[in-house]
Amino acid sequence: MRVLLAAPRGYCAGVEMALGALDATLERHGAPVHCYHQIVHNRHLVAHYEARGVIFVDTVDEVPAGGVLVFSAHGVSPAVRAQAAARGLTVIDATCPLVHKVHAEARRYARRGDTIVYVGHAGHDEAVGVTGEAPDAVRLVEREQDVARLVVPDPSRVVYLTQTTLSVDDTRQVLVALRRRFPQLQAPSQEDICYATQNRQEAVRRLAAQADVALVVGSVNSSNSKRLCEVAASQGARAYLFDTPAEIDPTWLADAETVVLTAGASAPESLVEETLAWLVARFGATVERHVLLEEDVHFNLPPEIRAPAPAPARSS
Ligand code: SF4
């Protein structure tokens, strides 16, 4: 068996920053620290942080008065920010800056009176946060077929935004349908599908074309990981998503001569290494590393946690 190890894979700059922010918050404030939804969509990491005293919550009301609340990498709606402020919580905002950018665009377009067609997945944390910026102005579209059903007040004032982790190919089809329906459709100032999503998809697309099977390390609720499976499948590979190598069913690999291995943006590299070791031990696999490009993106920690902690009050 040949294993084609795709790169870039795994952690993106937004995930590195969000995990760094949670680590720094634990260090500064001590456990328990609350986190609004999963810090990133990965089961392994959620269990790791729960063991260190992080409590993941679905509502702000679950955080006790005086508590510390971290917003996850996927961002939150203004309503959630307002609830946290009203309760006087200490907030650390670990939203990825590339998600913040989409929020800012939603606010700007809504202010100037446009209808915003948001291409994304209903119920995903990122989609909930962005649509919450301007609920009256935003229309959510998941797939091409949804475009025909859109009702907008002025078809000449429509702009689109997209979730950062979509499939580049699927989104292209939705945009074609949108342009057909709204010829004056406006685009965001900059592409919203983020660099990490695009790079991971392109790396796996090139390799999957030569592979029988694609193995994607990631959790089922990770949007970008699921898209990696779809991209690999579109190239003819049998694609499987799993959290840890213990979940791999050896029958997936029956007769597989060439396997492409990648990981979603929230999947730790240690799990990729474990998977490789398992493939070598079980199938005598040889590993080839394929680097599409080197990424050089870094985001600073949120200012709330970057600044030095206040000095303890001195008693006289
Ligand atoms: Fe940010 Fe992209 Fe990573 Fe999402 S996948 S956290 S948008 S860098």
Side-chain angles (χ1 to χ4, degrees):
M1 176 189 288
R2 285 167 72 213
V3 175
L4 313 179
L5 183 59
R9 65 174 176 279
Y11 285 0
C12 58
V15 165
E16 297 264 16
M17 180 277 292
L19 300 182
L22 193 50
D23 287 336
T25 305
L26 276 167
E27 199 173 305
R28 181 171 304 173
H29 295 279
V33 160
H34 291 77
C35 186
Y36 189 81
H37 294 157
Q38 296 185 353
I39 183 73
V40 299
H41 286 155
N42 184 270
R43 231 172 61 189
H44 176 89
L45 288 171
V46 166
H48 164 83
Y49 281 106
E50 281 175 338
R52 292 177 60 193
V54 175
I55 300 169
F56 294 97
V57 296
D58 292 323
T59 63
V60 173
D61 288 344
E62 292 168 65
V63 187
V68 176
L69 180 62
V70 176
F71 293 152
S72 81
H74 306 103
V76 299
S77 68
V80 170
R81 280 180 197 284
Q83 287 162 18
R87 302 210 44 224
L89 303 178
T90 298
V91 167
I92 314 295
D93 185 359
T95 305
C96 174
L98 301 182
V99 176
H100 268 312
K101 178 184 82 80
V102 186
H103 281 248
E105 286 169 334
R107 288 194 296 271
R108 183 154 64 91
Y109 297 137
R111 262 199 312 268
R112 72 183 192 195
D114 294 349
T115 298
I116 301 159
V117 176
Y118 180 77
V119 188
H121 297 289
H124 186 279
D125 293 342
E126 186 181 321
V128 172
V130 173
T131 55
E133 289 287 353
D136 295 338
V138 176
R139 310 282 185 276
L140 180 82
V141 158
E142 289 194 274
R143 55 189 80 77
E144 199 182 335
Q145 302 88 291
D146 299 336
V147 172
R149 288 194 287 273
L150 282 172
V151 178
V152 305
D154 181 352
S156 70
R157 300 291 305 271
V158 179
V159 61
Y160 76 84
L161 295 173
T162 66
Q163 196 173 317
T164 57
T165 50
L166 297 182
S167 149
V168 176
D169 295 336
D170 292 348
T171 306
R172 198 176 294 127
Q173 288 168 16
V174 176
L175 295 184
V176 167
L178 278 173
R179 287 207 178 87
R180 207 179 298 130
R181 172 97 199 268
F182 306 110
Q184 290 164 271
L185 181 73
Q186 296 170 65
S189 52
Q190 213 186 330
E191 176 66 71
D192 293 327
I193 298 179
C194 83
Y195 80 95
T197 300
Q198 296 193 39
N199 290 346
R200 279 150 192 71
Q201 287 180 13
E202 188 53 27
V204 82
R205 181 196 323 281
R206 293 194 186 186
L207 297 173
Q210 337 161 22
D212 305 299
V213 169
L215 296 179
V216 180
V217 184
S219 291
V220 287
N221 62 340
S222 162
S223 172
N224 80 87
S225 301
K226 287 196 285 192
R227 304 292 86 77
L228 290 176
C229 275
E230 291 167 5
V231 168
S234 76
Q235 301 304 302
R238 302 194 300 275
Y240 300 100
L241 179 67
F242 56 93
D243 269 293
T244 71
E247 295 171 14
I248 298 176
D249 179 343
T251 63
W252 298 347
L253 297 159
D255 306 325
E257 290 178 6
T258 308
V259 173
V260 58
L261 176 61
T262 187
S266 46
E269 181 64 10
S270 59
L271 297 178
V272 174
E273 295 296 334
E274 281 178 30
T275 304
L276 271 183
W278 184 83
L279 290 168
V280 170
R282 172 100 193 202
F283 296 97
T286 56
V287 181
E288 298 171 21
R289 292 166 200 272
H290 293 261
V291 181
L292 174 72
L293 52 80
E294 300 287 350
E295 289 178 341
D296 185 20
V297 181
H298 171 78
F299 297 136
N300 289 330
L301 291 182
E304 312 85 274
I305 200 73
R306 209 181 328 141
R314 278 202 257 146
S315 53
S316 53

